[in-house]
Amino acid sequence: MTAPLKNDCFIRALLRQPVDRTPVWMMRQAGRYLPEYRRVRQQAGSFMNLCTSPELACEVTLQPLERYRLDAAILFSDILTIPDAMGLGLEFVEGEGPQFRHPVRTAEEIQRLPVPDPEESLRYVPDAVRLIRRELAGRVPLIGFSGSPWTLATYMVEGRSSREFRKIKGLMYEQPQLLHSLLAKLSEAVSVYLQAQIAAGVDAVMVFDTWGGVLSPLQYRQFSLQYAQQALSGISLERDEQKIPAILFTKGGGQWLETMAASGYDALGLDWTTDIGEARALVGDRVALQGNLDPQALYAPIPALREEVRLILESFGSGSGHVFNLGHGVWPDVNPDHVGAMIEAVHEFSPAFHQG
Ligand code: CP3
């Protein structure tokens, strides 16, 4: 039905099957550090215009693949599409990041929230997936994604990016049951959203839990991991008898890896504060690991950058189960040549870790 993948080393590594070299892609690989992205972004007028136009979303998804030897494409979209479709009114204010016109805080506001039908109010997302998949024609796998219920809830309750998380934590301490009801609804929304992306053609899914790391260990399990798990258990991770691997990335989650490894996800994303070799020793062969170069290393002189790449490959060591990535998204002012040098260093150094 669909073109078989010509390069499946990313999928194989996520499933801990043998590979010839370590696959590599980069969080926010389609973005402002690329002049060709900035051109299309300007044409589109706004970031959301870019996301809601399947043709433009497809174009920018493919841009980094034209430049670099990447082993995966990631759908160009945003995690805040779900709350937008729930009616919160998403706006990206220049220099301030995302904001919602109608944040939710009361029981009534939370109960009223619909679970969006992805083929209705979020139709532009599966439409973009169908188009990208056709254009990719099996070159590399396509990653679909969602925010985690907890991370989506932080934006929906705070109404914008936050440092202190006073409103969401206020809700957590004052009315935990109300927060649980919001998280349960978001888990369902995430499940149907990811299921629609799988049906439309993504080959792997990733859940971004950007703000899980601001919780205490017990809170992390109760308010973040539990719902990331609930969202996953609502999805059939298969298409045409192909397994669709799922990745969980909790920024700042390095101290909870053993619990995360038992959550049902096939792979865990690591930020750069975790030693990937130590992480591997902890999780054993239960999950694959993705990461975890410090995004600031891309500002370093190329020899120093290459050495950082080598250290991560060496720390993970021999054998499959590693997907090379940054520990968080690439910064907009990074030199694209340094991104290329990072990717080439993975191609150059990693085969030595996959012999025999
Ligand atoms: O990785 C990719 O290439 C795919 C696209 C992608 C974007 N956002 C595009 C984007 C993905 C996977 C995301 C996820 C996302 N969005 C997260 C989780 C990952 C993370 O970084 O922790 C979060 C927290 C968001 C919410 C969001 N969207 C923020 C905080 C911002 C930054 C605002 C800013 O002005 O920098 C965005 C906007 C955004 N999402 C941009 C891109 C390329 C930049 C917008 C622009 O081009 O003007």
Side-chain angles (χ1 to χ4, degrees):
M1 190 185 92
T2 38
L5 289 170
K6 291 171 200 134
N7 169 357
D8 65 350
C9 86
F10 168 68
I11 301 291
R12 295 181 63 84
L14 290 176
L15 299 175
R16 286 167 292 109
Q17 295 166 356
V19 288
D20 300 333
R21 57 182 179 80
T22 306
V24 53
W25 71 280
M26 188 176 73
M27 287 190 267
R28 294 270 172 104
Q29 64 190 21
R32 283 177 296 199
Y33 74 104
L34 289 177
E36 57 270 35
Y37 170 85
R38 294 196 299 268
R39 265 197 302 279
V40 179
R41 163 79 171 71
Q42 197 178 8
Q43 232 178 59
S46 76
F47 173 66
M48 278 313 280
N49 284 351
L50 197 46
C51 292
T52 55
S53 156
E55 289 74 24
L56 295 180
C58 176
E59 186 179 347
V60 296
T61 298
L62 300 178
Q63 283 175 343
L65 301 173
E66 304 299 328
R67 260 187 197 255
Y68 308 121
R69 293 198 288 164
L70 291 161
D71 295 302
I74 181 163
L75 163 70
F76 189 84
S77 188
D78 200 78
I79 63 166
L80 300 177
T81 52
I82 288 181
D84 186 48
M86 286 176 147
L88 273 68
L90 176 60
E91 282 173 311
F92 281 90
V93 182
E94 215 60 57
E96 302 216 15
Q99 292 183 14
F100 287 115
R101 281 193 299 277
H102 314 289
V104 290
R105 282 156 204 167
T106 67
E108 212 208 333
E109 285 162 350
I110 288 170
Q111 275 151 19
R112 260 207 320 255
L113 290 172
V115 171
D117 177 345
E119 288 290 354
E120 296 286 335
S121 49
L122 286 163
R123 172 117 199 161
Y124 61 90
V125 174
D127 278 348
V129 170
R130 284 182 278 263
L131 187 58
I132 297 163
R133 189 176 170 85
R134 205 177 70 209
E135 293 295 314
L136 274 175
R139 252 196 290 171
V140 291
L142 177 61
I143 307 167
F145 70 90
S146 169
S148 72
W150 163 255
T151 290
L152 294 178
T154 64
Y155 286 99
M156 292 170 70
V157 173
E158 297 290 335
R160 52 182 301 151
S161 299
S162 168
R163 277 175 205 276
E164 290 89 15
F165 300 98
R166 268 177 86 156
K167 297 189 178 78
I168 184 91
K169 287 198 175 180
L171 191 61
M172 183 173 72
Y173 289 116
E174 287 156 33
Q175 296 175 274
Q177 286 319 315
L178 187 53
L179 180 54
H180 280 298
S181 73
L182 173 59
L183 293 167
K185 189 173 284 191
L186 284 168
S187 301
E188 196 189 332
V190 168
S191 292
V192 295
Y193 186 54
L194 289 177
Q195 194 73 72
Q197 293 182 36
I198 292 170
V202 302
D203 303 289
V205 293
M206 175 156 167
V207 171
F208 287 89
D209 187 26
T210 306
W211 300 119
V214 305
L215 294 166
S216 75
L218 180 61
Q219 289 166 349
Y220 174 70
R221 289 198 298 277
Q222 289 179 337
F223 292 96
S224 175
L225 188 60
Q226 182 187 180
Y227 292 99
Q229 225 167 338
Q230 199 167 305
L232 187 75
S233 66
I235 311 171
S236 163
L237 290 161
E238 223 185 63
R239 190 189 49 245
D240 305 338
E241 286 168 37
Q242 287 289 313
K243 161 96 178 136
I244 307 290
I247 310 162
L248 176 62
F249 171 63
T250 293
K251 184 156 177 284
Q255 66 277 44
W256 304 318
L257 294 174
E258 284 176 280
T259 325
M260 291 164 73
S263 65
Y265 283 83
D266 299 285
L268 304 179
L270 305 176
D271 70 33
W272 63 96
T273 62
T274 296
D275 181 293
I276 196 168
E278 286 173 19
R280 187 185 191 186
L282 278 177
V283 303
D285 57 9
R286 285 175 292 175
V287 286
L289 296 173
Q290 177 172 278
N292 65 342
L293 182 73
D294 177 4
Q296 310 268 8
L298 290 170
Y299 298 119
I302 285 175
L305 168 60
R306 283 166 54 83
E307 177 59 7
E308 290 300 313
V309 170
R310 201 190 58 75
L311 284 171
I312 288 171
L313 291 168
E314 188 179 82
S315 173
F316 184 87
S318 287
S320 192
H322 181 206
V323 172
F324 196 96
N325 205 316
L326 300 178
H328 201 202
V330 59
W331 292 101
D333 59 348
V334 152
N335 179 343
D337 293 342
H338 285 222
V339 171
M342 172 192 84
I343 291 163
E344 286 308 306
V346 179
H347 279 262
E348 185 182 327
F349 299 143
S350 71
F353 296 96
H354 301 280
Q355 282 163 0

